[in-house]
Amino acid sequence: MKQLEAAFPVDSQLLMVLPRAGASVRNPDVRLPILRSDVDGYYLEMRVEEDAQDDSEFSVIRRVPLENLSDEELADIKAEYANLDWSACVNKGVSNGLEKIHDRRIQRMFMALMTFLNPRQISIILYLYKLAAEQGNNGTVKFRSNDLLEILGYTRTKDGGFASKLRSQLNRDLVALHRTELVLAQSFKKTSLNRGAKVMIKSILRIKDYEVDHAPRDFDITKAADYTYELADSYTISLEFFDGTRNGDCVLFPNQFDITQRLGSNAKCDYKTKLLIYLASRMKWDTLTDGQFISISKQYLFKNLDLFGSNSSRNNQIFWRTVDELKEEGYLFGAQELSGKHRISTIQFQINSMKLKCK
């Protein structure tokens, strides 16, 4: 009998939430950002509406608390909000839709909210779960920034460091994962009788501490994310979705999981990571047949891979090329398209449980 590859556990609840919480602005269920207030203060938030046709397409809000706002800062945000071009964000890309927002902090906040849980950030999250398994500190993880940048596949500069753009991006990714809150029903599976009865508000991770080797004493990670191009040299974070990992409700990923970023490629084009995470998510939403087969509507596959538009030939090419990548890396034994009722196509995947396994 073949042995499971050396593996690390990733929390099941997190995996079930990731594809939905990270829905892109092109997803038809995603609504434009709004500025909202309640008794606790102001929030910049985006809602992903429920798609009642599929249990895994539940409703979730992602939001950034706007803490300690002065009247002047609030007025600035409202003024810049009027410059947001939502149509351009959807049709031409988020950067294009934010061009008319001139305040760097506000522009970066919108960018972080709209691109939340992109494949690069998901790769970082998985690496942190791997470190959590290695360090054995109950979901608290310590790491050096340069180590993570190297594992992401970035090239060092002549002085042994990394370009300021890469360092800045990593800090902004970490701060986005820290301060963006997810608001969703605590029992978001429809199989639960109490679905929607309680609300869960949770971040993906929380930055507990950070250290700076050669920077001013007043270095602040939030200000760096909003205004500058700095990065702390080391971080201590806590993984907020860790109960399943602790209790054995998880999916095992191989220790050799590759998070290398493709040079010159936009993170949103990393279809391999998108498909792998979506399959891992559906392995928890659904039940594998014979321990290895799972069938998913092609419509929802394309929706969660961000393959929209009328160019079906291009979308099909990208999809099957991505399937081939996962086959080459051993995650899949195969995949085939099956015709269903009313011409609704389904893709049946054969998962290699030696590489990706539910517990």
Side-chain angles (χ1 to χ4, degrees):
M1 182 178 177
K2 291 184 178 180
Q3 294 294 312
L4 179 70
E5 288 190 17
F8 62 93
V10 178
D11 186 272
S12 289
Q13 189 181 57
L14 173 71
L15 288 169
M16 294 173 77
V17 166
L18 280 180
R20 198 65 179 156
S24 83
V25 296
R26 299 181 68 205
N27 189 306
D29 300 331
V30 173
R31 302 295 174 258
L32 81 164
I34 62 170
L35 183 64
R36 189 181 64 80
S37 65
D38 62 19
V39 293
D40 295 319
Y42 283 89
Y43 301 89
L44 192 62
E45 70 176 37
M46 292 179 71
R47 176 182 289 273
V48 184
E49 297 286 5
E50 178 184 25
D51 181 340
Q53 300 302 312
D54 192 291
D55 286 1
S56 68
E57 304 279 304
F58 57 91
S59 175
V60 60
I61 292 171
R62 57 191 193 229
R63 70 183 190 185
V64 177
L66 303 175
E67 299 172 337
N68 304 317
L69 279 183
S70 67
D71 291 341
E72 183 180 357
E73 288 172 325
L74 179 59
D76 287 343
I77 291 175
K78 288 180 177 179
E80 290 284 30
Y81 179 82
N83 294 325
L84 170 67
D85 188 338
W86 178 246
S87 177
C89 286
V90 173
N91 298 310
K92 297 180 180 179
V94 173
S95 295
N96 283 279
L98 300 179
E99 282 182 344
K100 295 178 182 178
I101 295 179
H102 301 297
D103 184 291
R104 177 180 287 181
R105 178 194 179 205
I106 297 171
Q107 187 184 72
R108 284 186 174 183
M109 280 197 299
F110 273 112
M111 177 67 76
L113 189 64
M114 291 188 192
T115 62
F116 186 60
L117 290 177
N118 61 57
R120 183 186 58 251
Q121 291 179 358
I122 288 177
S123 295
I124 290 169
I125 293 165
L126 291 182
Y127 173 70
L128 294 176
Y129 273 86
K130 180 184 175 184
L131 283 186
E134 292 173 358
Q135 295 177 10
N137 202 15
N138 210 23
T140 298
V141 179
K142 296 182 179 182
F143 63 93
R144 298 283 298 177
S145 301
N146 281 356
D147 292 343
L148 178 49
L149 286 167
E150 190 166 42
I151 289 167
L152 286 166
Y154 297 125
T155 304
R156 289 181 181 267
T157 55
K158 291 181 179 179
D159 64 0
F162 290 90
S164 60
K165 182 179 179 181
L166 298 174
R167 291 174 58 81
S168 170
Q169 184 62 67
L170 178 55
N171 184 65
R172 282 152 58 191
D173 282 336
L174 293 170
V175 170
L177 295 170
H178 161 84
R179 70 179 173 186
T180 304
E181 298 176 340
L182 299 178
V183 184
L184 64 158
Q186 197 167 51
S187 301
F188 51 83
K189 289 194 75 170
K190 284 187 177 178
T191 51
S192 170
L193 296 176
N194 296 319
R195 185 174 192 253
K198 293 183 179 180
V199 171
M200 171 171 64
I201 301 175
K202 220 171 195 180
S203 297
I204 299 294
L205 58 82
R206 298 293 293 175
I207 298 172
K208 296 295 188 183
D209 195 9
Y210 57 90
E211 295 180 11
V212 181
D213 296 342
H214 306 292
R217 289 180 178 272
D218 61 352
F219 174 82
D220 181 276
I221 54 169
T222 303
K223 288 181 180 177
D226 289 341
Y227 296 107
T228 68
Y229 292 88
E230 297 169 297
L231 173 73
D233 294 292
S234 65
Y235 292 80
T236 300
I237 62 99
S238 66
L239 298 167
E240 297 296 279
F241 287 84
F242 208 73
D243 288 345
T245 310
R246 196 178 289 117
N247 300 326
D249 184 9
C250 56
V251 174
L252 297 177
F253 281 74
N255 282 346
Q256 299 305 313
F257 180 78
D258 183 14
I259 67 169
T260 302
Q261 303 298 293
R262 293 178 179 174
L263 295 178
S265 177
N266 192 312
K268 70 179 182 180
C269 297
D270 182 359
Y271 296 102
K272 184 183 73 172
T273 298
K274 289 181 185 179
L275 180 55
L276 184 62
I277 293 301
Y278 188 58
L279 288 174
S281 178
R282 292 301 295 248
M283 285 166 66
K284 279 298 179 179
W285 278 102
D286 306 326
T287 302
L288 291 177
T289 304
D290 296 330
Q292 59 180 335
F293 294 100
I294 188 168
S295 296
I296 306 172
S297 160
K298 191 174 181 181
Q299 172 191 346
Y300 285 107
L301 277 165
F302 278 33
K303 183 178 177 182
N304 281 275
L305 290 177
D306 210 22
L307 292 174
F308 298 107
S310 58
N311 193 338
S312 59
S313 175
R314 170 189 172 274
N315 290 343
N316 274 296
Q317 283 182 350
I318 291 173
F319 172 71
W320 288 109
R321 186 171 66 232
T322 306
V323 168
D324 286 341
E325 285 186 69
L326 292 185
K327 286 166 64 178
E328 288 170 9
E329 295 189 12
Y331 291 100
L332 297 175
F333 286 129
Q336 60 177 328
E337 186 166 346
L338 307 174
S339 296
K341 295 179 181 179
H342 311 297
R343 294 186 176 181
I344 297 175
S345 294
T346 298
I347 307 295
Q348 183 189 63
F349 297 91
Q350 185 178 8
I351 309 288
N352 179 2
S353 60
M354 297 298 106
K355 277 271 194 179
L356 205 62
K357 186 176 181 63
C358 279
K359 287 194 71 178

